[in-house]
Amino acid sequence: MTFESFKMTHPDPDTKRASVHSTMSRLLTELDRVASRPLVAVIFVTADAVWIVTSVFLEFPAGLETTVLTLVAGLTFAMLFVIQHTQSRLQAATQRKLDEILKALPAANKAVLSIEKANDEELRDVGAAHIAIREEAIEDATASRNKSTDGPP
């Protein structure tokens, strides 16, 4: 048995884990996409109204109340993870895009690329430096605007 045929019959565990992770990620992203549609909200509001009307007519049976409350708690708990996953994924994608923009700009401060790993003091220092840069840019823009409006017609 050659190494290549062994690899084909015995997949790498890391590759298998990555595949499962990717499949779960796609599933959670799709679930978030479906759950965020307006029709889903209408369906759930309608189901709530039916539940309330049914409960009133049946004089709020304990079994029905317990079942519905358990389902709602489970669904809420599951959606917490779906939303967290989606937000984390979107944040990571946005961060990669911003990193690419910073790398492409020749005058950009390359140290900012890894700022998310900085401690609180370093974040405050970079924030203070950027406030100073923004204030200087605003002053320059105001000065150039005033200079262009003060000149002869």
Side-chain angles (χ1 to χ4, degrees):
M1 176 182 275
T2 67
F3 181 69
E4 290 302 317
S5 63
F6 178 80
K7 280 177 40 179
M8 296 295 282
T9 58
H10 299 86
D12 181 21
D14 290 337
T15 305
K16 192 172 184 179
R17 248 181 269 136
S19 174
V20 170
H21 184 281
S22 178
T23 302
M24 289 301 296
S25 179
R26 284 193 305 272
L27 176 70
L28 290 172
T29 302
E30 183 64 19
L31 183 58
D32 180 66
R33 189 184 66 74
V34 169
S36 64
R37 292 187 175 177
L39 180 60
V40 173
V42 169
I43 290 170
F44 275 92
V45 167
T46 303
D48 285 344
V50 168
W51 171 59
I52 291 169
V53 169
T54 304
S55 293
V56 168
F57 282 124
L58 297 176
E59 298 177 357
F60 299 99
L64 179 63
E65 295 294 319
T66 302
T67 301
V68 171
L69 291 176
T70 303
L71 288 172
V72 168
L75 186 60
T76 302
F77 190 65
M79 287 307 294
L80 171 82
F81 290 105
V82 170
I83 293 168
Q84 177 64 36
H85 168 78
T86 303
Q87 286 181 342
S88 177
R89 182 174 159 75
L90 290 174
Q91 181 182 5
T94 301
Q95 187 62 49
R96 297 300 79 76
K97 291 173 186 178
L98 291 171
D99 289 349
E100 284 299 313
I101 291 169
L102 281 173
K103 282 193 260 181
L105 297 173
N109 181 358
K110 304 297 186 209
V112 177
L113 286 173
S114 61
I115 195 69
E116 65 270 4
K117 295 179 180 125
N119 62 35
D120 290 343
E121 185 178 327
E122 291 170 330
L123 282 174
R124 278 191 297 273
D125 291 346
V126 169
H130 281 224
I131 287 171
I133 291 169
R134 278 193 302 270
E135 288 173 351
E136 183 180 321
I138 290 169
E139 288 173 8
D140 289 348
T142 304
S144 66
R145 196 172 330 130
N146 290 340
K147 189 182 205 181
S148 65
T149 58
D150 290 343

